[in-house]
Amino acid sequence: MSLPSTRSLRVLVLTVTILLGCTLAQKNSSSVRIAANLPISIPLVPGTFNLIYETLLTVMPEMISSINNDTSLLRNTTLNLSITDSRNLQPLMLGGMLRESRTDSVAAIGGVFDLEAIALATASTVLKFPVLIHYSGMPALSNRDLYPFTCRMVPSYINQVGVIFDLFDHFYGITKQIQWKQPAVVSGANPYGISMGGEFINQAETRGFYVTTYQQFLAATNTISAEIRDLTPQVTGLKDSKARVFVALLLTLDMQNFIFNAKNFGLFNPKNVWLCSDACSQNFIQYNITAFPNQTLIMKDTLD
């Protein structure tokens, strides 16, 4: 999951404006407020999702000012932002949303992590209070019956898994090497990893792929730093599979943990291909971990 650009944040705020269209059309008010649930009191540590929140806190007010200055977007209406410090704790986050739903706020923004997103979406349904989810691709959020007041900025993980297989099919079509049809997979045992891993296994069967092994490990429970865990069984399982193509369906901190464990097993070498999902594709993974060689995550036409 890459850090958001200024343009993407502008799109986010514009999307909120569109989301509020129906509400605003029936609300005779010269001032409309949006609630943001952000963990602003958590120490900002480079290389974590806190950078996303730091960027949001900096750019969102500027984007809202830009919208207010453009009279063609919200005529005769001023858009305001109310920020609640959730400290990344669900009780505080949901409590803040409950309070805002009882004020003149018309919608909420929040939910980078999957558990956050599901909690906010559920509260949105109960309170009948619109919410925009930042980056979660949980397939469940697409259920309009369960979450009629929820929208999000990114597509479902189901779409991402399909693209992974399209990529493998492409290189198999070029090389005819069977290794492209026999990937090994590793994921975290969290909502993201379970959703992505389950969808990967399902699509592999329907698309004629054979998953040589599927390894999981307990995901990081802290969004600030991840304790280094012994993943020898999982890494050994991947190596023993004899696969040459690997898929890492891991969040950023879990990918860091995995690399720390896997570097001594020779899995990152010029003969193997690694594909990392968007959630572990941030640049600091490559630059902050010296064990991560340059040749990894580079797609090759042939497998030597």
Side-chain angles (χ1 to χ4, degrees):
M1 188 176 299
S2 303
L3 290 178
S5 63
T6 300
R7 180 179 180 184
S8 68
L9 287 169
R10 187 182 185 88
V11 170
L12 185 149
V13 180
L14 288 173
T15 302
V16 174
T17 306
I18 296 172
L19 171 67
L20 300 178
C22 294
T23 304
L24 293 175
Q26 302 177 21
K27 186 179 180 70
N28 184 18
S29 175
S30 60
S31 179
V32 174
R33 186 171 66 173
I34 297 174
N37 284 279
L38 303 174
I40 57 179
S41 65
I42 294 180
L44 297 175
V45 180
T48 73
F49 279 105
N50 290 283
L51 290 177
I52 294 177
Y53 291 116
E54 184 180 41
T55 308
L56 288 170
L57 287 170
T58 302
V59 178
M60 283 182 62
E62 298 176 2
M63 295 302 99
I64 288 182
S65 296
S66 177
I67 290 174
N68 287 331
N69 292 333
D70 189 340
T71 57
S72 65
L73 292 176
L74 292 178
R75 297 180 180 179
N76 304 319
T77 301
T78 300
L79 190 62
N80 297 312
L81 180 67
S82 173
I83 299 178
T84 298
D85 182 9
S86 70
R87 295 170 54 193
N88 205 32
L89 299 175
Q90 287 192 24
L92 293 179
M93 178 180 60
L94 296 177
M97 187 172 178
L98 176 61
R99 287 192 300 273
E100 291 293 341
S101 70
R102 294 173 175 173
T103 66
D104 59 350
S105 293
V106 295
I109 306 173
V112 169
F113 299 99
D114 291 327
L115 289 177
E116 260 186 70
I118 292 295
L120 281 176
T122 302
S124 172
T125 301
V126 174
L127 299 172
K128 296 183 179 181
F129 189 62
V131 62
L132 175 66
I133 303 299
H134 288 272
Y135 305 110
S136 175
M138 286 286 286
L141 293 175
S142 298
N143 189 322
R144 307 320 304 164
D145 293 328
L146 288 178
Y147 308 115
F149 296 95
T150 298
C151 70
R152 56 181 169 185
M153 291 293 297
V154 297
S156 169
Y157 298 144
I158 293 175
N159 299 331
Q160 186 179 156
V161 171
V163 171
I164 293 175
F165 284 116
D166 288 343
L167 185 65
F168 290 167
D169 269 333
H170 169 75
F171 284 100
Y172 176 74
I174 294 174
T175 67
K176 304 303 180 184
Q177 291 179 285
I178 194 61
Q179 291 95 330
W180 291 107
K181 289 281 191 177
Q182 299 175 344
V185 186
V186 60
S187 78
N190 53 15
Y192 175 82
I194 293 171
S195 295
M196 287 284 279
E199 186 60 32
F200 193 94
I201 297 299
N202 291 336
Q203 290 197 31
E205 183 176 352
T206 59
R207 297 186 58 160
F209 284 76
Y210 172 70
V211 177
T212 58
T213 186
Y214 176 29
Q215 299 292 325
Q216 275 192 329
F217 60 89
L218 290 177
T221 57
N222 192 325
T223 61
I224 304 300
S225 61
E227 59 179 291
I228 300 300
R229 300 174 180 174
D230 182 11
L231 304 180
T232 298
Q234 290 83 1
V235 176
T236 300
L238 292 171
K239 186 172 183 178
D240 291 346
S241 73
K242 308 300 182 183
R244 302 288 298 283
V245 176
F246 299 86
V247 180
L249 307 175
L250 299 168
L251 297 175
T252 301
L253 294 178
D254 295 327
M255 187 65 180
Q256 290 177 309
N257 194 1
F258 177 75
I259 292 172
F260 182 87
N261 278 268
K263 65 180 181 179
N264 296 323
F265 283 76
L267 287 179
F268 297 119
N269 64 68
K271 294 182 179 295
N272 292 339
V273 172
W274 280 86
L275 183 68
C276 183
S277 60
D278 69 328
C280 62
S281 62
Q282 291 173 316
N283 289 336
F284 67 82
I285 286 183
Q286 297 188 47
Y287 297 123
N288 287 5
I289 302 181
T290 57
F292 206 86
N294 293 331
Q295 64 265 23
T296 57
L297 298 184
I298 295 178
M299 194 61 68
K300 306 192 307 182
D301 287 344
T302 60
L303 295 173
D304 301 329

